Amino acid sequence: MVKRKHNQEFETIVGDILTHSEFQKLKLIEHHGNGLYEHSVAVGYHSYRVARVLGLDYVSVARGALLHDFFVESWRGKKKNSKGIQRIKDMHGFSHPKTALVNAQKYFDIDELQADMIIKHMFPLTPVPPMHLGSWIVTAVDKFVAAREMIFEKSHPIEALKGILLKA
Ligand SMILES: [Fe+2]
Ligand SMILES: [Fe+2]
């Protein structure tokens, strides 16, 4: 029952985020066939597990990873009025880490390491590399989870996380 122990520990670490009314709005946003809420929980959970195995501050990594895509506006079909370099900067792939960081700082207490995890998670699309091992974990896990969602999961959440998702 190691998995159950980890599930419970993860819930204890991030429960206040999972149940926060603003974070719950991620449930309304579609992302690779899953909700953005399910995607965020998957990235948070797997980053937490990796950080734990590596002996890192897994509490910090779990919370930073969970908040990496904390934007509550759907980005599909949005028209951009900017041009040139600014237009590229305004594109969702480049701009959403900043939006997520602003929201994370607005609603939760996050430290410098967690800010780095959020703002750098799209590397190498955004050019500045992560500064800390925790941030490298989040950017790698995010890509793994997104690829897995696109290939296998389509419209249902990852099995191991169902309990957490149902309770939140
Ligand atoms: Fe993202
Ligand atoms: Fe993501």
Side-chain angles (χ1 to χ4, degrees):
M1 296 291 98
V2 173
K3 196 175 269 177
R4 188 181 297 166
K5 186 189 130 198
H6 287 149
N7 288 358
Q8 281 169 356
E9 186 173 69
F10 179 68
E11 282 183 76
T12 305
I13 293 167
V14 299
D16 62 311
I17 300 176
L18 293 176
T19 53
H20 193 283
S21 59
E22 203 61 23
F23 195 77
Q24 288 266 321
K25 290 181 184 172
L26 299 191
K27 286 180 174 172
L28 304 173
I29 300 176
E30 193 272 337
H31 189 73
H32 303 317
N34 269 337
L36 188 54
Y37 185 88
E38 285 86 347
H39 168 79
S40 299
V41 172
V43 173
Y45 181 77
H46 292 300
S47 297
Y48 147 76
R49 292 292 300 270
V50 173
R52 208 175 191 286
V53 167
L54 295 179
L56 301 176
D57 181 353
Y58 55 85
V59 172
S60 173
V61 172
R63 294 179 69 85
L66 184 63
L67 293 167
H68 81 286
D69 272 342
F70 186 18
F71 55 91
V72 295
E73 263 195 1
S74 181
W75 52 277
R76 287 178 194 278
K78 262 193 168 180
K79 277 212 170 137
K80 302 285 181 215
N81 297 320
S82 48
K83 289 190 174 138
I85 296 286
Q86 192 55 45
R87 187 181 174 87
I88 292 171
K89 283 186 180 168
D90 287 347
M91 283 167 69
H92 175 76
F94 292 92
S95 65
H96 81 269
K98 284 186 199 129
T99 310
L101 179 58
V102 168
N103 285 332
Q105 286 170 328
K106 184 174 174 186
Y107 296 104
F108 302 101
D109 237 356
I110 64 158
D111 60 24
E112 210 180 298
L113 297 192
Q114 291 165 326
D116 193 67
M117 292 170 208
I118 296 167
I119 203 78
K120 309 278 181 63
H121 81 267
M122 290 303 283
F123 180 80
L125 182 64
T126 51
V128 185
M131 296 267 289
H132 307 280
L133 190 50
S135 305
W136 282 106
I137 292 172
V138 175
T139 191
V141 169
D142 181 42
K143 286 160 187 66
F144 165 77
V145 169
R148 188 180 150 139
E149 284 168 344
M150 282 190 279
I151 298 166
F152 302 114
E153 299 292 335
K154 276 295 174 201
S155 59
H156 52 90
I158 292 169
E159 196 63 31
L161 303 175
K162 269 188 180 160
I164 294 171
L165 294 168
L166 287 174
K167 272 188 234 163

